[in-house]
């Protein structure tokens, strides 16, 4: 069991400032520690310290606690109390892990004194500062210069720095780079949105990649389901945290072994699912290749364009076909399948006969690699302004060269997770 201590009792410790008994005397506090794991190492590498509060054995939400502290102008005192409380309860654990501690931005107003006290308390608890990761919210400070000064001084004293809840509010890459944190924790809402919307998943993957390339580790928190774990693993985030991998609680060696075993199980299930998806994707790509080649053979035999494309257009995700001459000029209008007629609303871009697409990637690829079926990178295509991949290949006869093109909407295929190689 975690040892519980009331804030009024903590007043008696000489290292702590006095508290207003009317605000906190009826509250009891305990610390809980949530595991943080590295999927690469398949190890538990840290714990985030979280406060648990009760009044008359009934839980009090952290939001209510900090609201009370703010209304009584005791936020800094409460923050100091919690930091020291978490350190005291973590003292004696010799596991090679980081301890993540949340810091309120108001604590950073007087960085020298607050950091000196924190260093002293770390030493008293037998915890070296380089085992402690200080979590700060990048957007929450009214005094960004003081926050930057605090971060610089904290680093010189050995503490690690993590930016919490990045990606919401007015999160800013310029501030992030100036802070130069070791770890960036992405807000859970990014993962939830990525689970629900494919475009949000693409943005999450890009954000993780950008932060890692800038020199910080990325921690994805709030993982509560197998699907979210699979998305998190696919982003190649460095660290993972969430109820699926471990709820806040006690710290002991048995728990570490259980959490590491749980992580390995989650990773194995994700790997198996990914392998099955890869098999399904490859089967679909082979079907596309076969149907495109069949359509090219029909065209070579002189079959009418719309008729030759009809079997191709029955495949899920395929929207239209079109033919370009050797200069990239479209020959005739688009061919649509029976399920994909042009919309009835007026749109002049659907009437594209004579348009020149020589500047497009798919045309250049077909000319450069005439013996292959080429796949463009996803782009927003005319005429429907929807993310599109264009497959293209050259049709060459003795006296003529044309480029056959097929547009498909990748977001409609396999939940948007189908990746196209350069050539099929």
């Amino acid at each position: 069991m975690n040892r519980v201590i009331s804030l009024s009792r903590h007043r008696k410790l000489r290292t702590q400032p006095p508290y207003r008994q009317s605000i906190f005397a009826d509250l009891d506090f305990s610390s809980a520690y949530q595991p943080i794991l590295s999927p690469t190492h398949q190890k538990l590498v840290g714990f985030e310290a979280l406060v648990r509060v009760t009044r008359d054995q009934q839980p009090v939400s952290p939001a209510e606690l900090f609201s009370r502290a703010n209304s009584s102008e005791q936020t800094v005192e409460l923050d100091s109390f919690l930091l020291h409380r978490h350190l005291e309860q973590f003292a004696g654990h010799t596991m090679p892990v980081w301890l993540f501690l949340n810091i309120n931005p108001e604590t950073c107003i007087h960085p020298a004194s607050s950091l000196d006290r924190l260093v002293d308390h770390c030493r008293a608890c037998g915890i070296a500062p380089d085992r402690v990761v200080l979590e700060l919210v990048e957007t929450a400070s009214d005094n960004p210069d003081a926050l930057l000064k605090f971060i610089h001084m904290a680093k010189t004293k050995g503490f690690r720095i993590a930016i919490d809840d990045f990606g919401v509010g007015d999160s800013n890459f310029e501030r992030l780079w100036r802070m130069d944190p070791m770890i960036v924790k992405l807000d859970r809402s990014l993962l939830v949105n990525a689970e629900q919307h494919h475009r949000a998943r693409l943005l999450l993957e890009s954000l993780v990649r950008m932060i890692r390339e800038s020199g910080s580790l990325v921690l994805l928190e709030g993982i509560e389901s197998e699907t979210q774990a699979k998305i998190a693993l696919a982003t190649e985030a460095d660290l993972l945290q969430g109820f699926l991998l471990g709820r806040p609680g006690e710290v002991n060696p048995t728990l570490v072994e259980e959490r590491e075993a749980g992580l390995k199980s989650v990773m194995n299930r994700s790997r198996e699912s990914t392998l099955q998806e890869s098999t399904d994707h490859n089967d679909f790509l082979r079907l596309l290749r076969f149907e495109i080649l069949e359509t090219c053979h029909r065209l070579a035999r002189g079959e009418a364009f719309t008729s030759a494309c009809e079997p191709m257009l029955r495949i899920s995700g395929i929207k239209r076909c079109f033919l370009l001459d050797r200069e990239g000029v479209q020959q005739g209008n688009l061919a649509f399948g029976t399920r994909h007629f042009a919309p009835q609303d007026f749109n002049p871009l659907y009437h594209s006969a004579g348009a020149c697409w020589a500047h497009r990637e798919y045309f250049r690829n077909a000319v450069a690699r005439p013996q292959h079926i080429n796949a463009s990178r996803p782009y927003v295509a005319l005429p429907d302004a929807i993310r599109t991949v264009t497959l293209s290949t050259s049709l060459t006869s003795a006296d003529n060269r044309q480029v056959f093109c097929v547009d498909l909407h990748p977001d409609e295929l396999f939940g948007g997770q189908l990746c196209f190689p350069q050539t099929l």
Side-chain angles (χ1 to χ4, degrees):
M1 293 289 292
N2 285 324
R3 180 165 57 87
V4 177
I5 184 171
S6 68
L7 194 54
S8 58
R9 177 183 163 195
H10 191 74
R11 295 175 57 195
K12 299 176 183 179
L13 300 179
R14 288 186 301 172
T15 57
Q16 300 307 311
Y19 293 88
R20 299 178 186 177
Q21 184 173 354
S22 60
I23 299 296
F24 298 111
D26 59 339
L27 300 179
D28 290 314
F29 294 78
S30 62
S31 296
Y33 301 88
Q34 186 169 28
I36 294 171
L37 299 108
S38 165
T40 300
H41 299 83
Q42 299 187 38
K43 289 176 57 178
L44 191 152
V45 296
F47 289 95
E48 180 180 3
L50 302 167
V51 64
R52 294 292 181 260
V53 188
T54 60
R55 182 195 300 114
D56 297 328
Q57 299 183 340
Q58 297 299 314
V60 175
S61 71
E64 179 183 344
L65 171 66
F66 288 103
S67 177
R68 291 178 64 175
N70 183 60
S71 63
S72 63
E73 299 182 353
Q74 296 183 74
T75 300
V76 174
E77 290 87 347
L78 175 62
D79 198 46
S80 177
F81 166 78
L82 293 178
L83 289 173
H84 296 170
R85 159 74 181 156
H86 295 322
L87 284 166
E88 290 168 4
Q89 289 301 287
F90 201 75
H93 294 294
T94 58
M95 293 172 289
V97 296
W98 286 310
L99 175 62
F100 286 67
L101 299 175
N102 290 277
I103 293 277
N104 190 295
E106 292 185 33
T107 303
C108 308
I109 296 175
H110 305 291
S113 59
S114 60
L115 282 170
D116 285 340
R117 287 196 300 270
L118 190 56
V119 168
D120 290 342
H121 209 79
C122 283
R123 290 172 178 162
C125 294
I127 302 173
D130 61 4
R131 288 184 60 197
V132 176
V133 181
L134 302 180
E135 291 190 32
L136 304 108
V137 178
E138 167 249 354
T139 62
S141 176
D142 294 329
N143 191 337
D145 291 335
L147 183 61
L148 288 171
K149 182 178 180 181
F150 177 90
I151 290 172
H152 174 73
M153 294 185 68
K155 289 179 180 179
T156 62
K157 294 180 183 297
F159 293 107
R160 314 288 189 172
I161 298 297
I163 299 303
D164 197 11
D165 297 336
F166 188 79
V168 295
D170 63 342
S171 290
N172 183 299
F173 269 103
E174 181 183 357
R175 285 196 300 266
L176 182 69
W177 291 324
R178 292 175 67 193
M179 293 174 179
D180 189 24
M182 182 182 75
I183 297 170
V184 176
K185 297 183 71 172
L186 298 185
D187 189 80
R188 181 177 184 271
S189 63
L190 298 175
L191 183 59
V192 172
N193 288 334
E195 183 180 15
Q196 299 171 349
H197 306 287
H198 173 63
R199 292 184 67 179
R201 180 166 178 174
L202 294 175
L203 291 173
L204 175 62
E205 292 173 351
S206 297
L207 182 59
V208 171
R209 184 166 53 250
M210 191 180 307
I211 293 172
R212 296 182 74 224
E213 290 174 354
S214 74
S216 297
L217 302 176
V218 176
L219 190 158
L220 275 177
E221 60 182 341
I223 300 170
E224 298 183 358
S225 68
E226 295 279 347
T227 301
Q228 291 174 358
K230 184 177 177 182
I231 293 171
L233 290 166
T235 67
E236 299 187 19
D238 303 282
L239 303 170
L240 307 178
Q241 180 181 0
F243 287 172
L244 180 69
L245 305 173
R247 291 178 174 271
E250 300 176 355
V251 176
N252 59 65
T254 301
L255 176 142
V256 173
E257 294 176 4
E258 292 175 353
R259 297 297 174 252
E260 290 178 350
L263 172 65
K264 292 175 183 177
S265 295
V266 169
M267 294 181 66
N268 286 337
R269 289 192 294 273
S270 177
R271 189 177 298 111
E272 290 172 2
S273 176
T274 300
L275 287 173
Q276 181 58 55
E277 286 182 358
S278 178
T279 299
D280 295 341
H281 294 180
N282 288 334
D283 289 346
F284 181 78
L285 292 174
R286 281 194 290 270
L287 171 65
L288 281 181
R289 174 180 172 79
F290 174 81
E291 290 294 347
I292 290 174
L293 292 175
E294 281 293 299
T295 303
C296 291
H297 293 155
R298 294 188 189 98
L299 293 173
R301 292 195 297 266
E303 189 171 336
F305 184 69
T306 301
S307 174
C309 294
E310 187 175 336
M312 181 89 234
L313 290 164
R314 287 198 291 266
I315 299 175
S316 177
I318 302 297
K319 297 302 176 181
R320 51 192 169 262
C321 301
F322 54 101
L323 198 62
L324 310 180
D325 68 11
R326 64 187 311 130
E327 304 299 328
V329 176
Q330 184 174 319
Q331 307 299 290
N333 273 314
L334 304 167
F336 295 89
T338 56
R339 295 178 295 120
H340 306 298
F341 286 120
Q344 298 302 310
D345 294 339
F346 174 72
N347 185 343
L349 299 177
Y350 271 99
H351 304 286
S352 51
C356 182
W357 306 105
H359 61 294
R360 293 293 195 185
E361 176 191 18
Y362 52 79
F363 177 78
R364 299 197 308 270
N365 287 344
V367 172
R369 298 190 289 260
Q371 304 302 317
H372 296 86
I373 297 172
N374 304 275
S376 73
R377 290 168 296 183
Y379 67 101
V380 176
L382 300 173
D384 49 22
I386 296 175
R387 254 178 37 105
T388 299
V389 168
T390 298
L391 307 176
S392 59
T393 190
S394 289
L395 299 175
T396 305
S397 60
D399 57 352
N400 190 26
R401 169 183 286 180
Q402 294 178 307
V403 173
F404 176 59
C405 301
V406 178
D407 280 354
L408 57 85
H409 291 171
D411 293 345
E412 295 182 10
L413 300 169
F414 302 97
Q417 297 310 302
L418 179 63
C419 294
F420 288 86
Q422 277 193 321
T423 59
L424 302 188

